[in-house]
Amino acid sequence: QWRRAEIALTSDRDSVNPFADLKVEAVFRNGDSTITRPAFWDGGRTWRLRFAPPGLGEWHWQTSCSDPENQGLHEQRGTLTCIPYRGDNPNYIHGPVRVSPNRRYFVRADGTPFFWLGDTHWMMPDLERLHDNNAPDANGRSQFTQLLEDRLSKGFTVYQNYFTGHNAHWWRDAAYECIDPARFREVMDPMLDDLADAGFVIAQGIGLYITAVNVPRDSLALLAEYVAARYGAHPLVWI
């Protein structure tokens, strides 16, 4: 329960720009509960669904694609069986963070109070090194891992970050028409996975005002949808 599950889908045809040309989503049903999750393109013909079931039991899912002729993406079906979480990670014991019913403070999904304590790791996926570290006390840890462990030891509960959405390494072209899924897969995925599994709530943004100035409006909207699809099943608060 509350942990992200991943479902891989394979398109039955190539697309010039899947990032902009196709939309795929799935409806998950468990009794009276219905949740719709968008899928995201992960390069080539591969698409993925990520879903964190909030309730126990069987979740039946079915996809729909903006191209109904694509039999690899349209009307695919399956079942996920959700069992209780066993472990000590608060993200999966108590569920995601939300605003309390009286709108005065934060609580977990099960009502457990949540205290927000975090500092800013702006441009984390751009600047915090995932494989290197020149600190004298690194002891084999990457810069990112050393920072994560430091904040964890100090009792921080939130890791506040954004990636620089207009940085060229997130895109395949200078016109911001197609993202580069490899950059997300190789850099941002392992960072957010590690943060979630360490027990942090991730305060996630997709850029700052310079991003909005540089990236065309339509591409920026697609980027926001893409990040929501790729990371919406993580324990996130959007900023």
Side-chain angles (χ1 to χ4, degrees), residues 155-168:
F156 282 41
T157 59
V158 181
Y159 215 87
Q160 301 175 172
N161 85 95
Y162 63 79
F163 67 96
T164 311
H166 60 283
N167 196 317

Side-chain angles (χ1 to χ4, degrees), residues 119-192:
D119 61 346
T120 54
H121 297 259
W122 298 155
M123 298 179 284
M124 175 196 76
D126 301 280
L127 299 179
E128 290 186 15
R129 299 174 184 175
L130 191 55
H131 302 292
D132 305 306
N133 194 346
N134 61 5
D137 59 344
N139 296 322
R141 297 171 295 176
S142 71
Q143 182 190 27
F144 168 72
T145 301
Q146 185 174 10
L147 285 167
L148 182 157
E149 291 178 355
D150 175 80
R151 299 311 191 266
L152 196 63
S153 71
K154 290 174 173 149
F156 282 41
T157 59
V158 181
Y159 215 87
Q160 301 175 172
N161 85 95
Y162 63 79
F163 67 96
T164 311
H166 60 283
N167 196 317
H169 59 217
W170 298 106
W171 299 86
R172 287 186 168 181
D173 63 293
Y176 300 111
E177 293 180 350
C178 183
I179 55 96
D180 182 3
R183 174 76 189 189
F184 289 90
R185 185 187 322 115
E186 295 167 6
V187 177
M188 199 158 166
D189 278 17
M191 284 182 156
L192 296 199

Side-chain angles (χ1 to χ4, degrees), residues 19 171 175-179 215-224:
F19 172 68
W171 299 86
Y176 300 111
E177 293 180 350
C178 183
I179 55 96
V215 179
R217 182 187 181 103
D218 290 346
S219 294
L220 189 61
L222 288 173
L223 177 63

Side-chain angles (χ1 to χ4, degrees), residues 18-48:
F19 172 68
D21 296 343
L22 291 176
K23 289 189 181 297
V24 182
E25 64 181 22
V27 176
F28 292 80
R29 292 186 172 88
N30 177 336
D32 295 331
S33 298
T34 300
I35 296 174
T36 301
R37 286 289 299 143
F40 62 91
W41 173 58
D42 202 27
R45 294 187 175 188
T46 301
W47 288 72
R48 301 186 189 278

